[in-house]
Amino acid sequence: MTAARASGPPPSPTDASVDRLGRSVRLCCVALGALVLVAALSGSALALDGPADTLNTTTPSDDTTTPIDDATGTTDVIVRFTPVGDPDALGEPDGNGSVAVADLREHAAAEQTAFEAFAESRDGVTVEREFWLANAMLVTVDADAVTTASLLSVANVTGVHGNVAVTPLDAATATRSGSGSQPPHPQVDAEPSGSYTAGLRLVDAPTAWERFDTRGAGATVAVIDTGVDPSHQDIDLSGWASFDENGTVVSRELADASDPDGHGTHVAGTVAGGDASGTHIGVAPEADLVALDTFAEDDTATFAGVIAAMEHATTESDADVLQMSLGASGTFRGFIAPVRNARATGAVVVAAAGNEGANTSSGPGNVYDALAVGAVDAVDDERTVAEFSSGQSINASAAFERYPEEWPERYVVPDVSAPGVGVVSAEAGTRNGYVRRQGTSMAAPHVSGIAALAVAATDGQVTDADLQAAIVDTAVHPANATAPDDRYGHGIVDAPAAVDAAVAATPPEAESTNEGDTSGRANRDSQEETRSEDGVPGFGGVAAVVALVAAAGLSTRRGV
């Protein structure tokens, strides 16, 4: 499979590359049939108002800076081991029994054996938890007796860093306007302007629903956040798990689901919320929604908790999409391996770009393999990027020092933009309340919902690489730019065009046209002919031309 989603250095002649080339040729044939359609781009516009909402923290990019150096007594650190060199070489995903997951587990077990022996023989070193997705361990050390150098001397250890804290951020200082006299999240009865939120109208979700006869049934989105309140009338959870600061599962019982903060509930509503109020709030209202809570009561989470949630999402939840409106300010090399390995299991990782404005970005969104999302205003005729929305041209060498050879030297964040200003969605702690929130945290779930629609429309057959390419390459830039920039990325996401491109990128023999089936995954082995499509997708354009470019691998995507 293909783990990297955007252009980079020329591929080496590996088996994975040959497979990609063969697939590209097949996809070109599929897309050529649609070239007679003409794309005419139009749409709503965007601007900025009020405080930004995201999850953020500041972390060092240097893995050798550890809490041990200045600590006394016991402290927790994350010990990192040699990552998988090429996730493309892992086995193809196969549902919950993914061969890729087995390969990752086997690799991690082999790499971590020497450190396990070291910890057993050394006083002051205790392994608390092992992580296969990041190939890492959470380790408690006695800083008075153990040095960073002693940990780094163990075979296969590549770095040591802290168990990074992640916290919610609601900062009026990140906005262009707003005196702070108004509540940061004003409650509303429902969207006052019609039966769809402004965000759903901008990405044109209703057209995608009608054209492809799907609202996401059969796709699974894991929302890694502050939790989700299942008592809200527009929230229907199919799974739940919560994790403590060590990454240990606290609860798997759906009855325990909650969200004291409200951030996760709002995000989940935008992904897959219903329309009980008379207003549709979710992009993919029939997708399976799994809530993974990594935050404590004080609204803090840790690197270990987030990685544990990602592991759960890619195995027990069998998620197609990891929705991550959280992050660490700046570039953090620690996120590279878990994002790449999550991609290797077949999932896409949709992440908020950050809320610190131009020339900034947050991880994991700024990891090249993630699908980073910036924020625009759904009601501004100019479709302006929100001032708080992060965007940055990344020099991989300067930012990460060491990075995968498949990456380009330079790329931009975000990949795409979506509605993230004054977004109406479900309010936690209420049965029928709704609030407006804003930030790239609110933009990202629009993209996760579109990804779920594409998974459903292809009966789960679209690969993570083709799905990500479909979303990125069909985004519409208001200035008709031909290359991505660090404000819009490739442009504003277009749900019908993205789903159309995903369908075009899926081999016809792999698609199902059983109209009575909405289970998606249950018919992944179906080999029916591809469905015929007509009508005009979102923004008035057709994705056929862009799908051809994506299939042929000609898009620059993030690369600059």
Side-chain angles (χ1 to χ4, degrees), residues 409-498:
E409 173 64 22
R410 294 179 179 273
Y411 59 92
V412 298
V413 175
D415 291 295
V416 294
S417 298
V421 176
V423 176
V424 174
S425 190
E427 180 183 23
T430 71
R431 171 67 182 164
N432 56 5
Y434 300 86
V435 291
R436 296 184 188 274
R437 298 181 79 139
Q438 63 188 34
T440 56
S441 281
M442 283 59 253
H446 287 89
V447 178
S448 290
I450 292 173
L453 294 178
V455 169
T458 61
D459 289 333
Q461 292 295 328
V462 64
T463 68
D464 65 291
D466 287 338
L467 174 56
Q468 191 146 313
I471 294 170
V472 171
D473 291 342
T474 58
V476 179
H477 198 292
N480 296 320
T482 57
D485 59 48
D486 59 11
R487 299 311 289 145
Y488 288 97
H490 278 258
I492 302 166
V493 289
D494 180 343

Side-chain angles (χ1 to χ4, degrees), residues 12-353:
S12 59
T14 61
D15 291 341
S17 298
V18 173
D19 290 342
R20 288 195 295 271
L21 178 59
R23 183 174 63 193
S24 296
V25 173
R26 293 194 301 272
L27 300 183
C28 286
C29 294
V30 174
L32 278 170
L35 287 176
V36 295
L37 300 176
V38 179
L41 305 178
S42 63
S44 302
L46 320 159
L48 163 67
D49 181 30
D53 188 356
T54 190
L55 302 178
N56 213 323
T57 187
T58 301
T59 55
S61 61
D62 183 359
D63 290 351
T64 64
T65 302
T66 77
I68 300 176
D69 299 330
D70 300 317
T72 58
T74 59
T75 189
D76 290 338
V77 296
I78 301 291
V79 178
R80 305 302 292 267
F81 302 89
T82 309
V84 171
D86 181 13
D88 278 359
L90 299 177
E92 288 294 329
D94 184 23
N96 195 46
S98 171
V99 177
V101 170
D103 288 348
L104 288 167
R105 290 183 187 274
E106 181 179 357
H107 175 81
E111 290 287 317
Q112 296 172 16
T113 299
F115 194 91
E116 290 174 346
F118 168 79
E120 289 177 0
S121 64
R122 180 70 180 266
D123 291 338
V125 180
T126 303
V127 175
E128 303 292 346
R129 186 172 177 80
E130 302 168 355
F131 302 97
W132 54 266
L133 189 69
N135 198 9
M137 286 180 171
L138 175 66
V139 180
T140 298
V141 299
D142 180 352
D144 296 324
V146 179
T147 64
T148 300
S150 65
L151 302 182
L152 291 171
S153 69
V154 181
N156 304 321
V157 174
T158 60
V160 179
H161 62 76
N163 190 15
V164 173
V166 180
T167 59
L169 173 65
D170 294 292
T173 56
T175 67
R176 182 182 63 189
S177 62
S179 64
S181 60
Q182 297 298 320
H185 310 303
Q187 185 174 6
V188 294
D189 293 331
E191 178 74 11
S193 56
S195 57
Y196 308 99
T197 64
L200 264 62
R201 290 198 303 273
L202 179 63
V203 303
D204 205 4
T207 297
W209 299 345
E210 180 177 359
R211 184 175 182 207
F212 297 97
D213 192 24
T214 183
R215 297 192 179 194
T220 300
V221 180
V223 176
I224 302 174
D225 214 295
T226 62
V228 173
D229 184 355
S231 67
H232 195 280
Q233 63 182 356
D234 278 333
I235 299 294
D236 183 12
L237 282 184
S238 62
W240 161 267
S242 60
F243 304 84
D244 67 14
E245 67 275 10
N246 291 341
T248 302
V249 175
V250 176
S251 170
R252 288 188 176 92
E253 298 297 324
L254 197 56
D256 295 333
S258 63
D259 181 17
D261 180 86
H263 185 278
T265 300
H266 193 282
V267 167
T270 301
V271 173
D275 64 337
S277 68
T279 298
H280 291 274
I281 65 172
V283 176
E286 294 180 8
D288 290 334
L289 191 64
V290 177
L292 302 179
D293 178 13
T294 63
F295 286 81
E297 292 182 359
D298 62 354
D299 291 336
T300 61
T302 63
F303 180 84
V306 170
I307 299 306
M310 294 177 71
E311 290 185 347
H312 190 286
T314 55
T315 53
E316 295 187 43
S317 300
D318 196 16
D320 301 292
V321 183
L322 274 59
Q323 159 56 43
M324 302 181 69
S325 285
L326 50 79
S329 180
T331 53
F332 179 45
R333 195 162 59 234
F335 281 126
I336 295 177
V339 169
R340 282 169 61 82
N341 292 340
R343 288 286 306 273
T345 70
V348 292
V349 178
V350 179

